[in-house]
Amino acid sequence: MRGPRFVALGDSLTEGVGDPVGEGWRGWAALLADGLSHEDVDFTNLAVSGAQTRDVLERQLPAGLALRPDVVSVVVGVNDTLRCTFDIHAVAARLDRVYAAFRAQGAVLLTACLPDPGTMLGLPGALARPLARRQRAVNTVVHALSERYGAVHLHAAEGSWTTERAMWSSDRLHPSERGHRQLAVRFHEVLAERGIATGAAPSAEPEFPVPTRSASLWWLATAGTGWVVRRCTDLLPQLVTLAVDEMRHRARGTSGRLDLRAAHAVSTALAALSVASVGEQQAEAA
């Protein structure tokens, strides 16, 4: 008997950045795959660093559907919040299509909500708050759609793991090996409770020594610098605008309006999906 076929979609988090093995990355999804069954698990990782929800929908989804997975993980959205093109309506519509497609095939769907990048990077308040607001919007959408499609959802946006330094790599945005193992262990727990994961749970303890400070500084000076430059070129002008707007509202005592505006955008995005779903059901009935 063959083990389950597990396909992982997403961005650098699922690709495994922060958990180096040899010349590449391993990550939480690969660690989880080993514990899904006592049989050999057919694992394919389609995640790509920098991917947004558009990339998952247009590139990773077709490849994932062709593999007809028994279990599929879709963890994405942080990169959307780091772009000047951020649109919660578009994020919600794309995730809805991806989740629906895999559930229509009968796959067990894994999802997660994630910490906001501004807090993880230690940005000043006026810069961090807009990013936090965006990530809360994405997490709210993921929560709602996960419930709609019966996904196995991991609440990873909060908790002690987000503030424990050992859980995070030198770039402060990706988990370290210990952090990736924490995600794998927690996913395994919820899957085992549902009788989906039948293999041994991943170990929570790192297999490899923690990178030295000099190695971490070298990474930041090379690959890390490139990442920062790419994000700053795309996001910084808009982030400055968002920060100025944030400070203006705080000075006027009207910061609550920004939260209300974001909450309204999420509500209308989810409502639009509900209306579309009803329309599709009526069309099928006719």
Side-chain angles (χ1 to χ4, degrees):
M1 294 179 61
R2 73 168 181 87
R5 180 174 290 116
F6 175 29
V7 176
L9 284 69
D11 53 29
S12 56
L13 174 68
T14 301
E15 184 185 24
V17 174
D19 181 24
V21 174
E23 297 299 318
W25 306 106
R26 178 177 51 185
W28 69 267
L31 292 165
L32 174 63
D34 290 337
L36 286 181
S37 174
H38 292 294
E39 306 292 335
D40 290 337
V41 176
D42 183 358
F43 174 59
T44 303
N45 195 340
L46 299 174
V48 177
S49 182
Q52 302 176 56
T53 52
R54 179 187 298 277
D55 301 304
V56 170
L57 174 64
E58 297 179 355
R59 301 176 186 176
Q60 298 180 28
L61 175 62
L65 291 174
L67 293 170
R68 302 196 67 83
D70 301 295
V71 179
V72 61
S73 64
V74 181
V75 181
V76 69
V78 170
N79 284 313
D80 290 79
T81 70
L82 295 171
R83 300 300 198 278
C84 62
T85 54
F86 178 73
D87 179 358
I88 194 59
H89 293 78
V91 169
R94 293 166 190 154
L95 289 178
D96 183 64
R97 290 175 61 185
V98 172
Y99 291 1
F102 282 116
R103 290 298 288 138
Q105 278 194 347
V108 174
L109 175 65
L110 311 185
T111 63
C113 56
L114 300 170
D116 75 88
T119 298
M120 299 310 301
L121 290 169
L123 296 180
L127 294 175
R129 280 188 291 271
L131 291 181
R133 196 174 290 115
R134 288 180 172 189
Q135 189 60 47
R136 284 196 300 271
V138 172
N139 286 342
T140 300
V141 165
V142 171
H143 278 294
L145 294 180
S146 295
E147 183 174 355
R148 174 181 296 183
Y149 291 105
V152 177
H153 181 69
L154 186 65
H155 298 272
E158 300 173 346
S160 60
W161 92 289
T162 64
T163 56
E164 187 176 338
R165 186 67 188 89
M167 293 289 182
W168 298 91
S169 63
S170 56
D171 67 0
R172 298 285 301 182
L173 191 62
H174 298 97
S176 61
E177 180 191 350
R178 184 179 291 275
H180 277 284
R181 287 186 174 277
Q182 175 75 3
L183 289 173
V185 167
R186 292 179 62 184
F187 261 124
H188 189 275
E189 287 177 352
V190 294
L191 288 169
E193 289 172 358
R194 301 192 185 193
I196 299 169
T198 58
S203 172
E205 294 302 315
E207 177 183 2
F208 301 105
V210 177
T212 63
R213 180 174 176 78
S214 59
S216 296
L217 291 174
W218 175 253
W219 186 92
L220 288 173
T222 54
T225 299
W227 183 90
V228 171
V229 169
R230 289 192 298 273
R231 292 297 81 79
C232 288
T233 299
D234 179 71
L235 177 68
L236 190 57
Q238 190 196 29
L239 190 56
V240 170
T241 300
L242 291 172
V244 170
D245 193 34
E246 189 84 28
M247 291 186 289
R248 184 182 300 116
H249 276 278
R250 286 181 68 83
R252 296 174 179 173
T254 57
S255 297
R257 293 182 183 177
L258 296 174
D259 295 324
L260 289 174
R261 186 188 305 165
H264 177 70
V266 171
S267 296
T268 55
L270 292 174
L273 295 179
S274 298
V275 170
S277 178
V278 170
E280 291 173 0
Q281 293 174 3
Q282 292 176 340
E284 291 176 0

